[in-house]
Amino acid sequence: MSPATITLLFLLFAIVMFVWEKIPLGVTSMIICVGLVVTGVLDWKTAFAGFIDSNVILFVAMFIVGGALFETGMANKIGGVVTHFVKTERQLIIAIMIIVGLMSGVLSNTGTAAVLIPVVIGIAAKSGYSRSRLLMPLVFAAAMGGNLSLIGAPGNLIAQSVMEEMNMSFSFFEYAKVGLPILVCGIIYFAFFGYKLLPNRAGGADGNAEEKQDFSNVPQWKQALSLIILILTLLGMIFEDQIGIKLCITGCIGALALILTGVISEKNALKSIDLKTIFLFGGTLSLASALQTTGAGEDIAKAVIGVLGENPSPYVLTFVVFMLCCVLTNFMSNTATTALMAPICVSIAQGMGADPRAVLMACVIGGSCAYATPIGMPANTMVVTAGGYTFKDYAKAGVPLILVATVVSMILLPILYPFFP
């Protein structure tokens, strides 16, 4: 069997096992990771490279930063302030989505989610609403907000570099032409319909333990310092390019500062790291690597687009590219999906003599619709344990959101980016 065929079989296995959930998600991930090495598809270094991926390092750091916010009771204090102004669960969901969506437009969407997840868990504890009903809208808003600017998501920059090779470019807020209407419609969808599809359960092993804890004996300086270090970490992430320090390193500096100042003990810092998330994300990155290196992902893309024939209708091609990116991005990272699909899309558009911007925009927006699985994007994975989510929970709330994004995109893309201007 060819490496590409073996990879596709592992992809099928992953989909079945993630949906069935008879064995833990992290274990399924590791079976795939080890299996790809045993079958010779990947060498062990490539297969396990996911565990030193910058997102995994960011997860570990932000779990500690978030852990300090809980340990000191600061997350509850912030929650109390927010719940004073927002009275109903629906208002809370809308407020969270607006704040996160706008922040992730100018910050990395993963960084935004990482910083705000502990804050939202604190809000849930204080308000009495289930955290499982607040965390999913948060990560979906982070994904949608990533399409507001050139720097919102890595896939945006990949499409830009493809454009630059053809002496063209997208402006800084170009993606917002489609991204902002999707964010607005996504928030409206959750405000009126989507909130009914959100699961309602206590998250993780600790449930709502924060509510029962007494923080009165925690020194004020520890509470203040946990918040100050969180804010400084956030500022470091905002000004990543100016200071020249990567997000994950900024997160590590914040985590180390909290341990060294005694805000959180080493024991509690280690306890706050969610290994289920690390194994799930690190393990499935090996599958994303295999899809890329063996050409299996490209085979899927070419087979689907090949069905369209020699001269496909521009509208049909845009729709197919969009849907293909939607499907791929839920099992590969959006960065890998865009990197894989962008060159294929451009060559098809050029072959038709069409403006490549239309298919590239469809590729980027479709590639950001990673709402249907817990492995679609790093932020989704980060809330699996905290929200007590199953694979099906993502599909139930995320697939209708993909449909909303598809409808908005299919209306706007042909108007804003005609194939033959």
Side-chain angles (χ1 to χ4, degrees):
M1 250 191 291
S2 71
T5 309
I6 296 168
T7 302
L8 292 173
L9 289 172
F10 271 114
L11 175 63
L12 188 64
F13 169 78
I15 295 166
V16 172
M17 294 312 291
F18 283 149
V19 173
W20 196 31
E21 280 194 75
K22 278 295 175 192
I23 54 175
L25 297 179
V27 177
T28 299
S29 243
M30 291 311 298
I31 290 170
I32 293 160
C33 182
V34 173
L36 287 165
V37 179
V38 172
T39 52
V41 174
L42 296 175
D43 62 81
W44 68 270
K45 277 189 178 175
T46 310
F48 285 88
F51 291 97
I52 52 162
D53 181 82
S54 61
N55 283 315
V56 172
I57 296 165
L58 178 67
F59 289 173
V60 172
M62 294 314 295
F63 280 138
I64 294 170
V65 174
L69 218 59
F70 299 130
E71 290 290 325
T72 59
M74 197 65 216
N76 268 32
K77 267 193 177 174
I78 297 167
V81 173
V82 173
T83 51
H84 181 71
F85 296 102
V86 182
K87 299 302 176 194
T88 68
E89 186 188 60
R90 270 208 282 179
Q91 285 177 0
L92 202 49
I93 289 170
I94 293 165
I96 288 167
M97 290 188 79
I98 291 171
I99 293 164
V100 175
L102 294 176
M103 272 181 69
S104 66
V106 289
L107 259 172
S108 132
N109 50 14
T110 306
T112 303
V115 169
L116 292 178
I117 285 165
V119 176
V120 169
I121 295 176
I123 292 170
K126 201 70 183 169
S127 65
Y129 297 123
S130 170
R131 59 168 81 166
S132 65
R133 295 183 59 77
L134 302 180
L135 289 172
M136 206 172 268
L138 179 153
V139 293
F140 290 169
M144 290 187 281
N147 287 326
L148 295 186
S149 77
L150 198 56
I151 57 169
N156 302 6
L157 291 165
I158 288 172
Q160 179 77 332
S161 64
V162 172
M163 289 285 284
E164 283 168 358
E165 284 171 20
M166 300 178 289
N167 296 319
M168 300 166 78
S169 66
F170 286 132
S171 65
F172 188 79
F173 289 111
E174 185 95 32
Y175 295 107
K177 291 180 184 176
V178 184
L180 186 60
I182 288 176
L183 178 63
V184 170
C185 292
I187 294 170
I188 293 168
Y189 154 72
F190 268 106
F192 292 101
F193 312 104
Y195 74 96
K196 297 174 187 172
L197 302 173
L198 294 168
N200 191 4
R201 61 174 71 92
D206 56 356
N208 282 322
E210 293 86 0
E211 288 177 286
K212 303 171 195 122
Q213 279 179 265
D214 176 23
F215 298 109
S216 57
N217 59 349
V218 177
Q220 285 290 313
W221 69 267
K222 281 193 175 185
Q223 292 193 339
L225 199 53
S226 70
L227 183 62
I228 290 165
I229 289 174
L230 175 77
I231 292 168
L232 289 174
T233 304
L234 175 63
L235 288 170
M237 289 177 175
I238 293 172
F239 297 108
E240 179 188 13
D241 290 339
Q242 285 84 347
I243 60 175
I245 300 173
K246 281 179 72 70
L247 293 182
C248 59
I249 303 301
T250 302
C252 289
I253 293 168
L256 288 168
L258 288 162
I259 297 168
L260 291 171
T261 52
V263 174
I264 187 170
S265 66
E266 183 199 14
K267 184 182 171 186
N268 286 335
L270 291 171
K271 260 171 64 182
S272 67
I273 297 167
D274 179 17
L275 288 177
K276 178 180 173 181
T277 300
I278 305 302
F279 282 118
L280 175 60
F281 192 75
T284 46
L285 280 180
S286 63
L287 182 60
S289 287
L291 282 167
Q292 247 179 313
T293 55
T294 63
E298 200 171 334
D299 290 345
I300 296 169
K302 284 182 174 167
V304 173
I305 291 173
V307 174
L308 300 177
E310 286 294 303
N311 289 305
S313 149
Y315 300 108
V316 174
L317 177 64
T318 306
F319 176 74
V320 169
V321 164
F322 187 90
M323 291 314 297
L324 187 55
C325 289
C326 278
V327 173
L328 285 174
T329 195
N330 279 288
F331 297 96
M332 294 169 69
S333 76
N334 59 351
T335 313
T337 300
T338 311
L340 171 76
M341 289 296 297
I344 299 170
C345 294
V346 167
S347 62
I348 292 166
Q350 287 177 329
M352 294 167 64
D355 183 353
R357 291 186 310 158
V359 277
L360 269 181
M361 190 60 78
C363 174
V364 170
I365 304 291
S368 68
C369 293
Y371 318 128
T373 69
I375 56 167
M377 59 183 175
N380 287 15
T381 318
M382 285 183 89
V383 295
V384 171
T385 303
Y389 297 128
T390 65
F391 193 93
K392 289 172 196 161
D393 290 333
Y394 286 89
K396 190 177 172 187
V399 171
L401 186 58
I402 290 176
L403 294 176
V404 170
T406 306
V407 170
V408 174
S409 300
M410 289 307 108
I411 292 169
L412 293 177
L413 285 172
I415 298 168
L416 297 170
Y417 303 99
F419 256 64
F420 303 103

